[in-house]
Amino acid sequence: MRLSSPRSYHHGDLRGELLTRAEQTLRESGVDGLSLRQLARDIGVSHGAPSRHFRDKQALLDAIALTGFERLGAVFTEAVSEGSFMQRLESVARAYVRFATENAALLELMFARKHNPAAGTELPAAAERAFSVPVALIADGQGNGEVIDGDPTAIGFASFATIHGMASFVSSGLVPAALAETMLGDVITQIMNGLSPRT
């Protein structure tokens, strides 16, 4: 019986398929479990095909991280699409915690690669675009008199540091998933209290 040979790299969207499979492997086995040769075997193409899109593993990791920031930006944009300032702030916070807990390994990679000089300028720019959405929300709240004066970037990142900490607690199991929704509501309330101008 004749064995089938690996598919040509010209099939479909190979780059997209490689990234999808790589993210799945990242979730299951971590960064150490990723290799271009194994990805090629997993999706049934020749071992050299992935190199036409990613010169090495580091390039693959950068591409995964870049895709992650693009997805996070889309999540943020959808979260602030409607509602009052408070509703949008809560929506952004819940969307981030959901993204972070569902994609813990990806988020860790995103932040690790962002600060790697070898990754170039594309990743930091993608991160800035993603987080510009909640920063713009803070600026909007300031314009409406609902948020204290100050640098909206500094205020936004201080708020998100708290939300990120909450997500880390959930991902690590320190906070049970069953309690996450209630506790996140309390966290959002405390953030809003801190952001509100003193009267």
Side-chain angles (χ1 to χ4, degrees):
M1 181 177 66
R2 181 180 179 182
L3 296 177
S4 59
S5 59
R7 289 178 292 169
S8 163
Y9 70 86
H10 290 294
H11 84 287
D13 176 17
L14 177 59
R15 188 179 190 279
E17 194 171 346
L18 286 166
L19 286 172
T20 297
R21 178 58 188 171
E23 190 174 326
Q24 181 181 347
T25 301
L26 177 68
R27 185 179 295 110
E28 296 170 350
S29 308
V31 171
D32 291 342
L34 279 171
S35 76
L36 292 176
R37 281 180 174 268
Q38 185 59 51
L39 286 177
R41 286 192 290 269
D42 288 344
I43 63 176
V45 295
S46 65
H47 65 80
S51 64
R52 297 181 179 272
H53 299 280
F54 310 108
R55 66 181 182 277
D56 54 24
K57 181 177 177 177
Q58 299 308 310
L60 172 65
L61 294 176
D62 289 343
I64 297 171
L66 179 62
T67 300
F69 279 120
E70 290 171 347
R71 283 169 47 196
L72 181 59
V75 166
F76 283 155
T77 299
E78 182 178 357
V80 302
S81 61
E82 58 184 11
S84 66
F85 171 74
M86 181 60 184
Q87 289 171 330
R88 287 180 290 155
L89 177 65
E90 180 173 358
S91 181
V92 164
R94 292 190 182 280
Y96 182 76
V97 170
R98 184 166 54 251
F99 181 92
T101 53
E102 291 177 354
N103 304 278
L106 172 61
L107 195 67
E108 182 179 354
L109 173 66
M110 287 161 58
F111 288 134
R113 298 304 298 172
K114 174 183 177 296
H115 297 292
N116 187 336
T121 61
E122 194 172 11
L123 272 177
E128 184 175 350
R129 285 193 300 272
F131 282 97
S132 69
V133 178
V135 169
L137 176 62
I138 295 296
D140 186 48
Q142 289 177 320
N144 294 333
E146 297 178 82
V147 176
I148 56 175
D149 292 334
D151 179 0
T153 300
I155 295 171
F157 274 85
S159 300
F160 254 83
T162 302
I163 297 168
H164 179 74
M166 177 67 186
S168 297
F169 283 174
V170 176
S171 296
S172 66
L174 187 60
V175 172
L179 297 179
E181 285 295 313
T182 300
M183 292 187 67
L184 181 57
D186 293 339
V187 168
I188 293 169
T189 298
Q190 294 301 320
I191 290 174
M192 191 60 213
N193 288 340
L195 293 177
S196 296
R198 304 300 182 189
T199 57

